[in-house]
Amino acid sequence: MDSIIKTKQYQFLAISLFATVLVSNIFNTYQLRINHYKKGTEYSSKDWNNSETIKYIKSKDTLNIYTNAHDVMRFYKNVNNYKLPFINTKTYDSTLQKMTQDVKEGKAKILFFDNINRRYFISKPDLLNHFKNFNIHNFKDGVLIKN
């Protein structure tokens, strides 16, 4: 009789633990989804849909763009785009020079998104310093550099 009571207690404890974990997981997932929607961690979020930088892409006929958000460019407008130079690589200088030449000749523009944190690309301060003599347009959430 004693073992039956202990078994029922363990079953109750196991079911209670399972229910607690399930409710906690549902609550955390709900908060995560709300955060994705409001804060811009997914492409369909409010911040992306209200992005000045995205609106520029949607409203302009852009030929070629260098960007730190090539996936965003494909998602919102299927434009030709190239990745910004990768720092600490052998090809950094040559890629930067090619990008500079393309922008200088009007063949391409640079669109840098502030809310994309990819540390392996050239940083925004370095980019702005390198292109300080070019036409720079600041958006609330990014920068456009063109000739």
Side-chain angles (χ1 to χ4, degrees), residues 3-102:
S3 65
I4 294 174
I5 293 173
K6 286 185 180 181
T7 304
K8 287 186 178 188
Q9 287 175 343
Y10 287 128
Q11 284 177 340
F12 177 75
L13 183 62
I15 291 171
S16 298
L17 182 63
F18 176 76
T20 303
V21 169
L22 181 65
V23 169
S24 175
N25 190 23
I26 290 171
F27 182 72
N28 287 338
T29 303
Y30 174 75
Q31 286 187 330
L32 185 65
R33 296 251 182 234
I34 295 297
N35 185 45
H36 283 331
Y37 178 72
K38 289 182 179 176
K39 302 291 185 191
T41 53
E42 289 184 355
Y43 299 138
S44 59
S45 70
K46 280 185 176 180
D47 288 349
W48 282 112
N49 288 328
N50 296 328
S51 166
E52 286 185 0
T53 311
I54 293 293
K55 287 179 182 174
Y56 171 82
I57 297 167
K58 288 182 176 179
S59 66
K60 301 291 181 185
D61 183 25
T62 52
L63 296 175
N64 293 302
I65 294 179
Y66 287 90
T67 184
N68 64 331
H70 55 280
D71 48 347
V72 174
M73 303 297 287
R74 289 282 180 209
F75 183 79
Y76 279 97
K77 185 173 182 183
N78 193 18
V79 297
N80 293 332
N81 67 91
Y82 305 101
K83 296 174 184 170
L84 291 176
F86 290 91
I87 57 175
N88 301 325
T89 61
K90 294 178 183 178
T91 60
Y92 175 78
D93 290 330
S94 62
T95 306
L96 185 61
Q97 291 307 318
K98 166 101 172 79
M99 182 174 69
T100 305
Q101 191 64 31
D102 286 349

